[in-house]
Amino acid sequence: HADLVLINDPTNLDRFRQVNPNTHYQWHCYMPELHHPGPTEPDHRSEFAFVGTGFASRIAFLEQVDWSGVDATFAGHWQHLDDNSPLLPFLAHDLEECCDNRQTANLYRGTQLSANLYRKEAERPALSDGWAMGPREVELAAIGTPFLREARPEGDDLLSFLPRFTDPNEFTDLMRWHLARPELLASLGDRAREAVAPRTFANSAARMLRLLNL
């Protein structure tokens, strides 16, 4: 609809509204038929799993984490890993392959803990900062998978109970501390599910129709 604009981060909402007053923030959503807790395939089980694109900033960070003794799994786009990267042994598939949404959900269902790292790559430095949570955070929470997270205002408000890290050493300590407490992880996963429960695609579509006055 030409009169409605939806943006996925409200950082510059006022600037958009100077051009079109009918601009609104639309949070990321999940599909209940795909993003839900439940059993998974045996080869999708792990202590830690991360699915995403191996941006240079993420690689540099994760290669500094101490993964010794951790059953970790990485999936997604990791073609830029060096031949000697400590992350290579943890890849769930060949470098040339990828991971679709259903496989991603299965990996998240089968892991005890995950993490969200915002990419730092952007056209200019200011664009790497944001207010909104990313789509993977909403999907992880909907599945009931607890995760370590980087600070952002929306996540700090909605998921403040999830552990927050600032550097690889703190990431390592938090990961090991939480993996040693499976009952706490289960509780955190349940709380995360409850926190994002309304953020389904159906609810967001209904909101969009209301904004269109349909």
Side-chain angles (χ1 to χ4, degrees):
H1 194 283
D3 295 330
L4 174 66
V5 175
L6 299 177
I7 57 176
N8 61 15
D9 193 294
T11 301
N12 295 306
L13 182 60
D14 291 342
R15 296 176 64 184
F16 276 90
R17 284 180 171 170
Q18 290 175 10
V19 179
N20 183 347
N22 196 18
T23 299
H24 303 270
Y25 165 54
Q26 175 55 60
W27 46 84
H28 289 290
C29 315
Y30 72 95
M31 296 184 291
E33 64 273 19
L34 179 61
H35 305 115
H36 57 80
T40 190
E41 299 176 26
D43 60 352
H44 286 159
R45 296 194 180 106
S46 65
E47 291 183 307
F48 177 91
F50 181 90
V51 182
T53 298
F55 294 106
S57 58
R58 285 177 176 166
I59 292 174
F61 185 100
L62 292 168
E63 286 184 340
Q64 296 179 69
V65 173
D66 179 8
W67 298 103
S68 59
V70 178
D71 179 16
T73 295
F74 289 84
H77 295 278
W78 295 90
Q79 291 89 339
H80 298 299
L81 287 180
D82 293 334
D83 292 340
N84 60 351
S85 173
L87 303 179
L88 274 176
F90 301 121
L91 288 187
H93 51 71
D94 294 336
L95 283 175
E96 296 76 20
E97 297 176 351
C98 193
C99 186
D100 63 26
N101 289 336
R102 191 164 299 279
Q103 291 172 311
T104 297
N106 279 328
L107 286 169
Y108 285 155
R109 267 190 287 274
T111 197
Q112 298 176 42
L113 181 66
S114 187
N116 181 72
L117 289 87
Y118 295 109
R119 67 176 183 179
K120 307 304 184 289
E121 289 75 8
E123 293 180 3
R124 58 181 187 273
L127 296 179
S128 65
D129 296 325
W131 181 90
M133 294 162 46
R136 291 300 187 205
E137 292 178 272
V138 177
E139 294 170 1
L140 280 164
I143 290 171
T145 303
F147 58 95
L148 310 179
R149 63 183 189 85
E150 284 189 297
R152 267 198 182 178
E154 185 176 38
D156 292 344
D157 179 50
L158 192 66
L159 300 172
S160 61
F161 51 86
L162 291 181
R164 196 173 74 183
F165 63 87
T166 56
D167 59 56
N169 289 332
E170 188 175 25
F171 185 107
T172 299
D173 291 343
L174 286 170
M175 174 180 65
R176 293 182 180 279
W177 191 90
H178 282 84
L179 287 177
R181 293 162 174 80
E183 291 185 1
L184 173 60
L185 286 179
S187 174
L188 292 176
D190 289 342
R191 292 179 67 184
R193 279 193 72 211
E194 182 179 355
V196 302
R199 297 195 174 198
T200 64
F201 276 98
N203 286 344
S204 294
R207 173 176 178 262
M208 182 182 70
L209 291 176
R210 289 194 298 270
L211 292 172
L212 289 169
N213 296 316
L214 296 179

